[in-house]
Amino acid sequence: MYTEDVMAKRLKKNIVAMIALLMSAVCIWQVSSIALADEEVRYTNGGISLYSSAEYLYYNSRTQLEYNITPGMAPTYIATGEYTNACGAIAGANTIGFFDKYVEDLIPGWQSYFPANGRYKPDDKVYIPAVIAELYTLMRTNVDDVGVSETDFLNGLQEFVEIRDKNITYTSLYSNGTINYAGCKASIDAGKPILVFMDPTDMISISVRDGNDYIMRQSLASAHIALIYGYERIQYILTDNTVRTDTYLIMSTGQISPRVSYLDITTSVDINDAKGVNIY
């Protein structure tokens, strides 16, 4: 039989051991939480649903308050089947194609636009696939996990540009969970596009009809990167005399369909970051 003194000492030791075990578990949880918090979103190319939702917006009047796009719009390249999770490389190729119009030899041997009207050409079968393939490698696509992180995307695009003895700068247009619409407008007005990094959100198309707009939303299946090249703000006076104002950014999606889409930023949207980009 143990004396009361021995039992008390054993109980004390057990309590100390339990406290140490609990503190160790808390430390492990904290380290795991920090690691998860530091882990970057992976951007892939999961495509979109055929149909998500649609809205008929009936109105007494429709006023376009603001609208602008970069000259010639933007390239709308898409991936070939040999590259998986390639939205980073495609968004990068659309960016390179955009600036090839202004910076000589970003794509040697090929012009990304029609000199007669400044509009961008569709994808070709040689030069753009080569750009996508190079960016796919430089961005470390599918290396650490599926797709690319924002960091690897930005670094890979920068490396592509610097290999050609050109310069690239990024300007932050996102803070505190909100995209900077005024900054986006200023960038577009200056003829510079914007890279947007999105969680799964809606691609929007608008059909303008007599007395109503048909607004269709198609949901992205995964986190995605796209190139913004325009903006539009529309004010409606609806048939019940209430006022509604919708604010959109216009983007080259990198998807087979739709190749061009609206991104609704009227309310909270699933955007992780936005960067104005310039190559010179």
Side-chain angles (χ1 to χ4, degrees):
M1 297 288 293
Y2 295 112
T3 65
E4 289 185 4
D5 185 52
V6 171
M7 292 181 67
K9 288 181 178 179
R10 289 198 167 204
L11 179 61
K12 183 177 180 181
K13 287 176 67 176
N14 288 339
I15 291 172
V16 169
M18 289 177 65
I19 292 173
L21 183 62
L22 180 62
M23 291 179 66
S24 176
V26 169
C27 288
I28 291 171
W29 176 82
Q30 288 177 331
V31 170
S32 299
S33 297
I34 291 170
L36 287 172
D38 290 341
E39 187 176 340
E40 287 193 89
V41 174
R42 305 296 298 187
Y43 297 92
T44 62
N45 193 21
I48 60 174
S49 64
L50 293 178
Y51 173 80
S52 177
S53 65
E55 175 185 17
Y56 287 94
L57 192 61
Y58 293 92
Y59 52 80
N60 294 325
S61 69
R62 180 189 196 275
T63 305
Q64 188 183 68
L65 299 177
E66 299 172 331
Y67 174 80
N68 197 14
I69 57 173
T70 53
M73 300 177 67
T76 55
Y77 309 142
I78 59 174
T80 58
E82 61 189 294
Y83 298 108
T84 60
N85 305 309
C87 80
I90 300 164
N94 280 323
T95 305
I96 294 301
F98 182 97
F99 283 101
D100 181 71
K101 181 177 177 180
Y102 305 100
V103 180
E104 189 174 356
D105 286 339
L106 269 181
I107 310 176
W110 193 67
Q111 282 187 321
S112 65
Y113 66 100
F114 297 106
N117 58 18
R119 296 291 295 268
Y120 286 96
K121 296 176 182 177
D123 348 28
D124 80 312
K125 302 300 182 184
V126 177
Y127 295 98
I128 296 308
V131 170
I132 291 173
E134 184 176 350
L135 287 168
Y136 192 87
T137 299
L138 292 176
M139 292 177 180
R140 303 177 67 251
T141 309
N142 294 338
V143 173
D144 295 329
D145 202 342
V146 295
V148 296
S149 67
E150 180 179 340
T151 298
D152 281 343
F153 172 89
L154 296 173
N155 289 343
L157 183 58
Q158 179 175 340
E159 187 174 355
F160 182 99
V161 171
E162 291 178 349
I163 287 171
R164 289 151 178 80
D165 294 323
K166 311 300 180 186
N167 301 293
I168 185 170
T169 57
Y170 301 115
T171 303
S172 178
L173 294 171
Y174 181 88
S175 63
N176 300 319
T178 303
I179 193 164
N180 180 350
Y181 177 62
C184 289
K185 284 175 52 183
S187 183
I188 298 302
D189 291 345
K192 302 297 187 292
I194 299 149
L195 290 159
V196 61
F197 302 82
M198 303 170 284
D199 278 335
T201 189
D202 288 340
M203 304 286 96
I204 297 171
S205 60
I206 303 175
S207 297
V208 181
R209 307 181 180 189
D210 186 17
N212 70 85
D213 279 7
Y214 178 70
I215 302 173
M216 187 173 75
R217 298 172 181 268
Q218 297 172 281
S219 297
L220 282 167
S222 62
H224 191 63
I225 307 171
L227 188 69
I228 301 289
Y229 66 89
Y231 61 84
E232 185 169 8
R233 200 158 176 256
I234 306 167
Q235 185 179 83
Y236 302 94
I237 299 179
L238 304 179
T239 53
D240 63 0
N241 290 320
T242 59
V243 178
R244 167 172 160 171
T245 303
D246 290 354
T247 305
Y248 299 102
L249 296 175
I250 305 167
M251 62 184 169
S252 172
T253 67
Q255 301 282 348
I256 295 174
S257 178
R259 292 202 178 199
V260 172
S261 171
Y262 285 102
L263 178 64
D264 187 354
I265 61 168
T266 308
T267 55
S268 175
V269 293
D270 298 311
I271 293 176
N272 297 317
D273 203 3
K275 302 279 189 190
V277 58
N278 186 26
I279 297 174
Y280 56 96

